[in-house]
Amino acid sequence: NAGVTQTPKFQVLKTGQSMTLQCAQDMNHEYMSWYRQDPGMGLRLIHYSVGAGITDQGEVPNGYNVSRSTTEDFPLRLLSAAPSQTSVYFCASSYSSSSGNTIYFGEGSWLTVV
Amino acid sequence: GQNIDQPTEMTATEGAIVQINCTYQTSGFNGLFWYQQHAGEAPTFLSYNVLDGLEEKGRFSSFLSRSKGYSYLLLKELQMKDSASYLCAVRFKDTGRRALTFGSGTRLQVQP
């Protein structure tokens, strides 16, 4: 059981380049989300999805796009990278039941924009 | 906003007990989580509280008071491996069904 898998783990981009952070989960979770973590600021929600074909914006969506064509995959696209997007990115997934569900995180993707 | 406040840093001694506090805005509250995060790693789930009271899980316990907008994480019999950041996260009803709002984290240093 792989859980939540993120790739790449490390990436350096030049300002203006585009790239996609991949996220896949094998737990048949309906809910998936992307967070970024900056020093001293905790994790902030970028985008989330409550099921295939459904996405919505979180707290800091500007500069990022997402899609959810399958239950398993939730890629995060940076359209034109900026130095302010240098951060650690975490993908997460959980069931959508109302009980105290656990949110599972991927191992993180360290992105540097120069 | 939905501010979640917790101390930035704490230091404790191996074998001792430490309490990490978290306060949050009560409006729209729909559950509180505690995560542990070691440097360079992903957060890992520790506890979940949605009703008032204490949840105990081995050396770790978490308490919630919904009326006060207050929670704490209690770590007993501290070990060196408990040195990590501890993240308080709240699920609010208006930010997506399963999204969490995180505090900035408390960095705990356990000393010999």
Side-chain angles (χ1 to χ4, degrees), chain A residues 31 35 37 40 42-43 45 48 90 94-97 100-103 105-106 110, chain B residues 33 35 37 40-43 45 48 87 91 95-100 102-104:
Chain A
Y31 182 85
Y35 293 85
Q37 185 175 32
L43 283 83
L45 182 67
Y48 65 95
F90 288 100
S94 70
Y95 290 110
S96 65
S97 66
N101 56 69
T102 302
I103 292 183
F105 286 89
W110 274 252
Chain B
F33 295 75
Y35 283 84
Q37 186 178 28
E41 298 182 7
F45 172 79
Y48 170 74
L87 311 179
R91 185 166 63 215
T95 55
R97 253 190 291 160
R98 296 277 84 84
L100 298 180
F102 283 83
S104 299

Side-chain angles (χ1 to χ4, degrees), chain B residues 17-48:
Chain B
I17 299 173
V18 70
Q19 177 175 312
I20 303 174
N21 296 324
C22 173
T23 58
Y24 61 89
Q25 173 193 307
T26 57
S27 175
F29 174 81
N30 195 27
L32 186 142
F33 295 75
W34 283 96
Y35 283 84
Q36 180 190 60
Q37 186 178 28
H38 285 99
E41 298 182 7
T44 55
F45 172 79
L46 290 178
S47 69
Y48 170 74

Side-chain angles (χ1 to χ4, degrees), chain B residues 61-92:
Chain B
S61 303
S62 57
F63 171 83
L64 177 69
S65 170
R66 289 173 296 170
S67 63
K68 296 181 179 178
Y70 169 69
S71 173
Y72 67 73
L73 180 69
L74 194 70
L75 290 75
K76 304 175 186 175
E77 301 170 14
L78 281 172
Q79 302 175 9
M80 298 300 292
K81 67 178 182 179
D82 297 330
S83 293
S85 288
Y86 291 85
L87 311 179
C88 175
V90 176
R91 185 166 63 215
F92 292 101

Side-chain angles (χ1 to χ4, degrees), chain B residues 44-64:
Chain B
T44 55
F45 172 79
L46 290 178
S47 69
Y48 170 74
N49 295 72
V50 67
L51 299 176
D52 291 349
L54 188 68
E55 294 282 342
E56 297 188 78
K57 195 181 289 187
R59 294 189 299 116
F60 293 3
S61 303
S62 57
F63 171 83
L64 177 69

Side-chain angles (χ1 to χ4, degrees), chain A residues 21-65:
Chain A
L21 298 177
Q22 301 291 345
C23 177
Q25 52 90 10
D26 61 359
M27 298 174 282
N28 201 31
H29 285 169
E30 295 174 306
Y31 182 85
M32 297 184 73
S33 53
W34 277 101
Y35 293 85
R36 60 178 287 173
Q37 185 175 32
D38 302 300
M41 296 190 71
L43 283 83
R44 292 182 293 168
L45 182 67
I46 304 171
H47 284 285
Y48 65 95
S49 169
V50 298
I54 306 169
T55 64
D56 208 343
Q57 297 181 348
E59 182 184 356
V60 287
N62 292 340
Y64 307 95
N65 273 359

Side-chain angles (χ1 to χ4, degrees), chain A residues 75-92:
Chain A
L76 178 72
R77 298 183 186 85
L78 282 70
L79 306 174
S80 178
S84 61
Q85 293 179 303
T86 294
S87 188
V88 183
Y89 292 84
F90 288 100
C91 179

